[in-house]
Amino acid sequence: RVPRDPRGAPQPAEEKAQLLQNSEYQERMVESTFLYLTLDLPTAPLYKDEKEQLIIPQVPLFSILAKFNGSTEKEYKTYKENFLKRFQLTRLPPYLIFCIKRFTKNNFFVEKNPTIVNFPITNVDLREYLSEEVQAAHSHTTYDLIANIVHDGKPSEGSYRIHVLHHGTGKWYELQDLQVTDILPQMITLSEAYIQIWKRREEDETNQQGA
């Protein structure tokens, strides 16, 4: 919970500390399962360069993964209350699904955040997002990307593309409708990634992706 005065402004530090002693504001820890991890994009203003062309903002993958480091706080608002939540992973499954939150809905329209997420397609280590007490139980914490779903265009008129890794050859392919083409791994990171599937790397696996 976020202690606030009746006008909605945060309380001074001294008053906040006193309120946190009340049971109403005590911190609670809840463990829950997940099907996928939602990654929140920062607000994306569009800037113009010297040629008056629009520039799409970019953000590193690890910046939006910070949501799960156990210390980053995110505010959630309801009609009656405000909450602060912190997230931390307690288990790393063989496969992870990231859903990059690009779409925001309200009563009138749907907005899309076009921010490009910069990410490596191999060797993404998630050990720091585990709680300290369970890190020792996870000998394998590194993931490689195996599928990347992209949304292009406007929310109501856009289309989807899929990048998939052929495990046998280590080559990447792009699928759109019935069309299948080769794609360089470097090009995958330039897309408006929406949903990603990552595979945990086991100790005896070798990197076949060449990137």
Side-chain angles (χ1 to χ4, degrees), residues 37-42 59-72 87-89 92 96-100 117-120 124-130 141 143 196 198:
L37 298 178
T38 301
L39 305 183
D40 304 312
L41 291 174
V59 61
L61 174 65
F62 292 102
S63 292
I64 56 178
L65 275 173
K67 173 182 177 179
F68 299 98
N69 63 12
S71 58
T72 299
F87 300 91
Q88 190 165 38
L89 303 180
L92 293 177
L96 269 177
I97 300 175
F98 292 164
C99 180
I100 299 172
V117 178
N118 301 129
F119 57 90
V124 172
D125 193 350
L126 300 182
R127 178 173 296 275
E128 66 178 283
Y129 306 105
L130 292 170
T141 59
Y143 284 78
Q196 296 182 329
W198 297 79

Side-chain angles (χ1 to χ4, degrees), residues 59-185:
V59 61
L61 174 65
F62 292 102
S63 292
I64 56 178
L65 275 173
K67 173 182 177 179
F68 299 98
N69 63 12
S71 58
T72 299
E73 294 181 334
K74 180 176 175 58
E75 185 174 6
Y76 292 83
K77 297 182 179 181
T78 66
Y79 179 73
K80 295 182 178 180
E81 300 173 301
N82 289 1
F83 293 90
L84 284 178
K85 291 185 178 181
R86 297 194 302 268
F87 300 91
Q88 190 165 38
L89 303 180
T90 58
R91 183 180 177 186
L92 293 177
Y95 294 90
L96 269 177
I97 300 175
F98 292 164
C99 180
I100 299 172
K101 191 175 181 182
R102 292 197 173 277
F103 301 99
T104 303
K105 297 182 179 180
N106 58 34
N107 294 331
F108 303 100
F109 54 85
V110 178
E111 288 185 300
K112 179 185 175 183
N113 189 326
T115 298
I116 298 295
V117 178
N118 301 129
F119 57 90
I121 64 172
T122 61
N123 296 314
V124 172
D125 193 350
L126 300 182
R127 178 173 296 275
E128 66 178 283
Y129 306 105
L130 292 170
S131 58
E132 293 183 1
E133 59 269 22
V134 301
Q135 283 187 8
H138 287 75
S139 56
H140 305 304
T141 59
T142 302
Y143 284 78
D144 297 326
L145 184 70
I146 60 173
N148 183 56
I149 300 175
V150 179
H151 183 273
D152 296 313
K154 299 179 180 180
S156 58
E157 304 172 1
S159 60
Y160 291 91
R161 293 179 287 132
I162 303 175
H163 302 132
V164 293
L165 173 69
H166 187 275
H167 184 71
T169 62
K171 293 183 178 181
W172 281 91
Y173 294 91
E174 181 176 277
L175 288 69
Q176 187 168 25
D177 297 328
L178 298 178
Q179 185 176 1
V180 180
T181 57
D182 297 348
I183 186 171
L184 294 174

Side-chain angles (χ1 to χ4, degrees), residues 20-58:
L20 289 175
Q21 301 301 317
N22 299 333
S23 59
E24 182 182 3
Y25 293 104
Q26 289 297 306
E27 184 177 272
R28 293 181 298 168
M29 183 172 64
V30 178
E31 185 170 331
S32 60
T33 58
F34 62 87
L35 295 176
Y36 56 88
L37 298 178
T38 301
L39 305 183
D40 304 312
L41 291 174
T43 303
L46 291 177
Y47 301 96
K48 292 185 177 182
D49 63 11
E50 296 177 353
K51 298 180 180 179
E52 295 296 315
Q53 295 177 341
L54 294 179
I55 298 176
I56 304 299
Q58 301 184 25

